[in-house]
Structure formats: structure tokens, C-alpha cells
Amino acid sequence: FTMKLPIIGFGFLYAFVASLILMRWKDPVVLALLIASVAVTGFRSLMLDRYQMAGGANQSHDDLRGWERRYAHFAFLFAFLVTALNLRVLITHQPLIHTGTISLVFIFGAGVVSRTSCRPAICVGSLLIAVVPTALGMLVHGAIANEQPLHGAFFILFALLLLAVRAMSLGSVGH
């Protein structure tokens, strides 16, 4: 509940990447994801403020559990938005766009581990939601025939990199 700047910063990065895609595609799904990301970032920021106004860590155990649950729900929701954007762009063969969205997974994962490793359920849940469906989408995308040399091999590599980083991140959480 003290990491407001990274949460807002990641929300901005997500919105920036989604805006670039939207300028290129004019896709209503990307627009919906962009709007959702701005709303969720705003709600997360507001939640952090309200937590501090309610007394921060000086609240009752039950109150703190409620705050933790809300924090987890918003973290999981943003992890879903990261996955949704990645899966949406996998309907095309545009490597620059894929690079932008896959970068969001790595940035999100690093932030989740650094902010929530002390709460393994939130951290592991967020990582699983953001990484596993994205990696599976990469594998499926890599299996689709394409005239670009090594297209499939690179998407399989991206999927394996995601899964490897997830495994390393989970090791860090355990540590």
C-alpha cells in the first residue's frame, strides 16, 4: 500500500502501449482494454489513498484483511488486462506490437514480485494470470503457418522465456 507511483507508472505504460495499438488498428476491443486499464489504475490509486486515510497499518486485523483482499482483486484484474491485451494482439502477425505487449508482461511481473512477494498468494496469482495464458497464446500463435522466417520458433521462444521468468519469479517469492 506504499507503492502508488509504480502502480500509476505501469498503468501509464499499459495505456501508452494500448494507445499506440489503437492508433494503428482502431480496434474496439483494444479501446475497451485501454479504458479498463485507466479505470483500474484510477481505482487502485484511490484504494491506496483510502487505505492511508483509514489509518494504514494501524487498523484492526480484520480491516487489514479486507484491504488485502481488495488489493488482490485489483492486482488480479490488472493481470487479466495484461493477458487480454497480449491475446488480442496475437490475432495478427505484427512483431513490433507483440514486442510492446510482451514487454508489459515482464514489467508487470517484475513489479508484482517487488511489491507483493511478501504476500505470496497475491504475487503467485497475479503472475499466473498474466503469464500462463499469454505463454499459451504465444505457443498457439507460433504454430500458425507464416511466411516470415523463424516466426514459429520465435513465438515458442517467447512463450518459453515467459514461463522461465515466471518460474524464476516464483523462486524469488519463495526466497
Side-chain angles (χ1 to χ4, degrees):
F1 286 94
T2 60
M3 301 295 282
K4 188 174 182 176
L5 186 59
I7 287 172
I8 292 172
F10 183 75
F12 174 79
L13 289 174
Y14 183 104
F16 183 69
V17 170
S19 294
L20 290 175
I21 297 166
L22 188 60
M23 287 188 319
R24 170 86 183 218
W25 290 2
K26 313 287 189 255
D27 181 35
V29 173
V30 173
L31 175 60
L33 292 171
L34 170 61
I35 292 168
S37 74
V38 171
V40 171
T41 299
F43 284 125
R44 290 178 87 188
S45 177
L46 184 61
M47 179 187 62
L48 297 179
D49 290 341
R50 289 201 173 158
Y51 169 82
Q52 296 302 334
M53 291 186 317
N58 297 320
Q59 299 175 65
S60 73
H61 185 266
D62 289 339
D63 288 342
L64 291 173
R65 282 281 184 210
W67 285 109
E68 182 178 42
R69 242 185 332 276
R70 286 187 288 279
Y71 186 97
H73 290 147
F74 280 116
F76 296 159
L77 181 55
F78 216 100
F80 171 77
L81 291 173
V82 170
T83 291
L85 186 61
N86 271 281
L87 294 178
R88 182 61 178 172
V89 302
L90 286 171
I91 64 172
T92 69
H93 299 287
Q94 296 185 21
L96 282 176
I97 290 176
H98 298 154
T99 301
T101 60
I102 199 71
S103 297
L104 291 174
V105 178
F106 288 104
I107 296 166
F108 179 80
V112 164
V113 170
S114 68
R115 282 191 316 274
T116 62
S117 61
C118 60
R119 292 290 186 245
I122 297 172
C123 188
V124 170
S126 296
L127 288 172
L128 290 174
I129 293 167
V131 173
V132 173
T134 301
L136 292 174
M138 293 278 178
L139 289 172
V140 169
H141 184 84
I144 297 170
N146 188 279
E147 68 280 351
Q148 295 176 340
L150 300 175
H151 175 266
F154 271 102
F155 278 92
I156 291 168
L157 172 65
F158 290 154
L160 294 176
L161 284 172
L162 280 172
L163 295 173
V165 168
R166 183 194 60 82
M168 290 184 281
S169 296
L170 293 178
S172 296
V173 171
H175 176 74

